[in-house]
């Protein structure tokens, strides 16, 4: 939430979003939204998903191609 102390989420660049998300889920985390793939003009394709770790922290996993 924007009105609570601390960070909103932390993001990590990964080589394979689906694979890392599977590892998060296998280790007690949970999915937080849908996997998204979008084209960023003049930059490339961004694939990302949000998840929660076992403590409820929001983690963004992203992959650029």
């Amino acid at each position: 939430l924007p009105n609570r102390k601390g960070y909103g989420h932390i993001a990590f660049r990964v080589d394979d979003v689906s694979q890392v998300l599977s590892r998060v889920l296998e280790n007690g985390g949970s999915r937080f939204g849908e996997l998204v793939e979008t084209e960023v003009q003049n930059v490339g394709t961004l694939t990302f998903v949000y998840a929660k770790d076992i403590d409820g922290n929001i983690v963004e996993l992203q992959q650029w191609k």
Side-chain angles (χ1 to χ4, degrees):
L1 298 172
N3 62 345
R4 91 177 176 194
K5 291 182 179 182
Y7 64 89
H9 77 282
I10 188 167
F12 295 96
R13 184 191 61 81
V14 299
D15 292 329
D16 187 326
V17 170
S18 296
Q19 181 183 39
V20 175
L21 177 60
S22 292
R23 299 276 316 270
V24 169
L25 299 176
E26 289 169 7
N27 287 283
S30 61
R31 190 179 198 131
F32 189 64
E34 298 300 316
L35 186 117
V36 175
E37 186 172 299
T38 186
E39 182 70 26
V40 179
Q41 188 175 10
N42 299 321
V43 178
T45 302
L46 171 63
T47 303
F48 68 95
V49 69
Y50 291 93
K52 287 187 177 183
D53 67 13
I54 59 173
D55 295 319
N57 297 303
I58 299 172
V59 177
E60 178 183 356
L61 306 172
Q62 55 177 250
Q63 172 186 358
W64 285 93
K65 289 185 183 175

